[in-house]
Amino acid sequence: METKPPLPPFTLETALIKVQAAEDAWNTRNPQKVALAYTEDSQWRNRDEFFSGREAIAAFLQRKWAKELDYRLKKELWSFTDNRISVRFEYEWHDTADNWYRSYGNEQWEFAPNGLMQRRYASINDVSILEFERKFRV
């Protein structure tokens, strides 16, 4: 069976590790690599989109990062219990016209016993910023 440690139930230490691993993976902007952290039938809500499955996740991420250029993400553990983790996050990106944005949001995660995420629900808001207001630079 495929596993993705750390496994639930989470402690403060393992929840922090899981959040950092997610941040690191998303910052690669590699849809196929990121999709491997989710179960084959993982259910997602991202803004106003609802979908499930690794193929749909990878396709969504490919579209996302084609639009959100130079994407850079920071995640923070908000809470955890048993097999669930809640995070707040912010990320910066620009569009093809070089308009910069900072996106803020919250995610609720639920994990299968093997450590793969089986549910991800994200609420996100975008704020227009000027390039010099960026916080996250490579």
Side-chain angles (χ1 to χ4, degrees):
M1 176 193 256
E2 183 178 15
T3 62
K4 187 88 170 164
L7 308 177
F10 297 112
T11 64
L12 176 59
E13 179 183 6
T14 60
L16 288 167
I17 290 168
K18 203 66 145 174
V19 171
Q20 188 62 56
E23 178 183 308
D24 293 345
W26 279 63
N27 279 326
T28 69
R29 298 188 301 266
N30 180 328
Q32 278 65 40
K33 177 181 179 175
V34 173
L36 292 176
Y38 301 90
T39 61
E40 290 284 345
D41 61 349
S42 184
Q43 297 175 13
W44 275 39
R45 179 183 60 79
N46 195 88
R47 300 178 191 254
D48 61 349
E49 291 188 59
F50 295 79
F51 50 92
S52 64
R54 279 188 185 159
E55 287 183 28
I57 291 167
F60 166 81
L61 293 172
Q62 188 157 354
R63 287 191 319 273
K64 172 184 179 63
W65 291 323
K67 174 190 169 199
E68 297 178 358
L69 306 175
D70 294 323
Y71 173 98
R72 183 75 175 134
L73 168 71
K74 291 289 194 181
K75 290 188 182 280
E76 177 187 355
L77 176 66
W78 192 256
S79 65
F80 69 94
T81 184
D82 301 324
N83 69 332
R84 292 180 174 169
I85 294 176
S86 178
V87 298
R88 66 159 295 281
F89 62 86
E90 55 186 318
Y91 63 89
E92 294 175 346
W93 57 280
H94 67 89
D95 60 20
T96 56
D98 215 26
N99 298 304
W100 281 91
Y101 300 89
R102 186 173 303 120
S103 300
Y104 296 93
N106 300 292
E107 292 177 326
Q108 315 312 316
W109 301 342
E110 183 179 83
F111 292 87
N114 64 355
L116 295 175
M117 196 181 301
Q118 61 190 10
R119 288 195 184 108
R120 175 188 175 269
Y121 301 121
S123 297
I124 307 166
N125 299 299
D126 302 319
V127 176
S128 181
I129 62 173
L130 299 174
E131 195 281 335
F132 76 85
E133 295 176 300
R134 290 175 54 205
K135 293 193 225 177
F136 311 132
R137 297 179 186 269
V138 179

